[in-house]
Amino acid sequence: MRLNLIPVMAALLLSGCVPVQSVVNTAQLPSATEYGAHANPMEWWYVSAYLPGEGLALHWAQFRVQDARVPVPLMISHVAVTDLRTGQLTFLEQPAGSGEVSSPPLRLRQGTWTLTQAGTGPGAPLSLRAGPLDLTLTPVKGPVLHPPGYSGSADTGVLFYQGITRLALSGSVNGRAVQGQAWLDHQWGNQIPGQTALWDWFSVQLEDGRDLMVYRVRRLDGTVAQLIGSVVEPDGHVRAVRGLRAEPGEVWTSPTGRRYTLGWRLVSDGFDLSVRAVRREQELLSRSTRIAYWEGPVEVSGTWGAEPATGTGMMELVSGSWGPASGS
């Protein structure tokens, strides 16, 4: 009976009851190499990739949720694969249950889904085996802490934010050999998706070797609590984006009636970029986290300084909570 209560309590935690918030001190930033688990209500590790040459886009997420009402941390995981040639979107979930996190080297496990680091050095490859994914991810750049080191604000809660913005990807998806580039994120803190904050997030890998991250954190009433951006240069150096603006464009209404902004203009002191969703029908309704969100590949074009710029990436737009029983 106790095990049967775990998924129920996880659902309450993620969609019905905001847990007691732990204190997150943004004046004490973590190391960029801090991949292990933390004593915070919310934490996740995330891998995404758009593989234009393969006609595929994918993401995997491992959530770790902690609350005083549950005796052990709960693990929840997602895998989504979009076949752009057929238009098929596959979304798989592992509901709340037990799992394992250890570091260094990093090892995550929930059931048979694993992310395993081969060593402790900055270039140590990672193996991701989750459902249809059997991938090797080899860092091209070192880990970074995205300036200012966290996403969110005092009223939305904050998540420390570090990861690797470019990894060489090889392996197979649904048994089909693939290769390309991936992105790895790790966040932890006291912000609860859909309950204390929503967001619009962009990861862009430019053809000139730069990587751009833009994060627009929204309060539940839609007002913007924080807009941040970072650039990771080809040599791995990270810097904050100055004078950043995120201007919404085309809006798409999903079959569930939710509205997602699928076209954007990202502007700063150094660039002027247009972001276009490759495919509209990318809304995901998660039964395990009770969150509705859009996640899919994007193509980027514009200028960087005085030069033309092009790139590809992924975009995540969090709409809010979702109740599978009612479909609302």
Side-chain angles (χ1 to χ4, degrees):
M1 291 297 294
R2 189 174 189 180
L3 289 176
N4 291 337
L5 289 175
I6 288 179
V8 176
M9 297 195 75
L12 289 172
L13 176 60
L14 286 164
S15 65
C17 299
V18 177
V20 176
Q21 302 280 294
S22 64
V23 175
V24 177
N25 184 1
T26 57
Q28 296 181 352
L29 296 179
S31 164
T33 59
E34 201 164 319
Y35 285 107
H38 298 82
N40 295 105
M42 179 62 63
E43 184 163 20
W44 64 73
W45 297 259
Y46 168 93
V47 171
S48 66
Y50 172 31
L51 311 175
E54 311 286 358
L56 291 172
L58 59 93
H59 78 270
W60 159 90
Q62 178 68 69
F63 302 93
R64 185 174 186 267
V65 182
Q66 293 192 93
D67 184 78
R69 295 165 293 178
V70 182
V72 295
L74 300 175
M75 306 285 275
I76 299 170
S77 46
H78 294 174
V79 168
V81 176
T82 300
D83 187 327
L84 295 164
R85 296 171 182 171
T86 65
Q88 181 178 358
L89 171 59
T90 302
F91 183 47
L92 305 175
E93 303 182 80
Q94 291 199 116
S98 62
E100 174 189 350
V101 182
S102 59
S103 180
L106 177 64
R107 175 176 169 80
L108 305 174
R109 180 191 60 80
Q110 185 183 1
T112 61
W113 293 9
T114 61
L115 178 71
T116 306
Q117 189 178 23
T120 59
L126 299 109
S127 297
L128 174 60
R129 293 181 172 85
L133 308 180
D134 187 351
L135 302 172
T136 297
L137 309 169
T138 304
V140 175
K141 300 180 181 179
V144 298
L145 192 67
H146 290 279
Y150 60 90
S151 68
S153 61
D155 57 337
T156 65
V158 300
L159 297 167
F160 290 123
Y161 187 14
Q162 58 97 225
I164 301 173
T165 61
R166 194 171 294 228
L167 306 97
L169 175 153
S170 63
S172 64
V173 176
N174 283 318
R176 173 177 145 198
V178 297
Q179 60 181 358
Q181 297 182 132
W183 181 292
L184 169 66
D185 277 344
H186 178 209
Q187 294 188 256
W188 67 95
N190 61 5
Q191 184 186 112
I192 309 301
Q195 290 299 306
T196 66
L198 310 172
W199 60 78
D200 309 304
W201 173 86
F202 310 82
S203 66
V204 179
Q205 294 168 325
L206 294 161
E207 289 187 0
D208 65 5
R210 292 185 177 100
D211 300 321
L212 170 67
M213 186 284 300
V214 172
Y215 214 139
R216 185 175 181 258
V217 180
R218 295 177 280 121
R219 302 177 182 90
L220 300 187
D221 64 4
T223 58
V224 177
Q226 182 198 45
L227 175 63
I228 59 172
S230 64
V231 176
V232 181
E233 300 288 356
D235 65 1
H237 175 72
V238 62
R239 60 180 174 84
V241 173
R242 305 300 180 189
L244 180 62
R245 304 197 312 274
E247 302 175 358
E250 177 197 3
V251 175
W252 173 69
T253 302
S254 76
T256 66
R258 293 174 174 83
R259 291 166 60 84
Y260 297 93
T261 301
L262 301 188
W264 293 81
R265 182 184 177 205
L266 304 179
V267 185
S268 78
D269 295 344
F271 58 76
D272 188 339
L273 301 172
S274 295
V275 178
R276 180 187 68 85
V278 175
R279 183 175 182 271
R280 291 182 172 186
E281 295 80 7
Q282 291 289 128
E283 183 180 50
L284 301 172
L285 304 175
S286 170
R287 291 181 176 273
S288 59
T289 63
R290 308 294 180 93
I291 297 294
Y293 66 106
W294 188 101
E295 178 103 13
V298 295
E299 295 182 347
V300 178
S301 62
T303 58
W304 197 291
E307 300 297 323
T310 58
T312 58
M314 295 288 284
M315 178 169 68
E316 183 176 85
L317 313 171
V318 175
S319 172
S321 59
W322 172 68
S326 63
S328 60

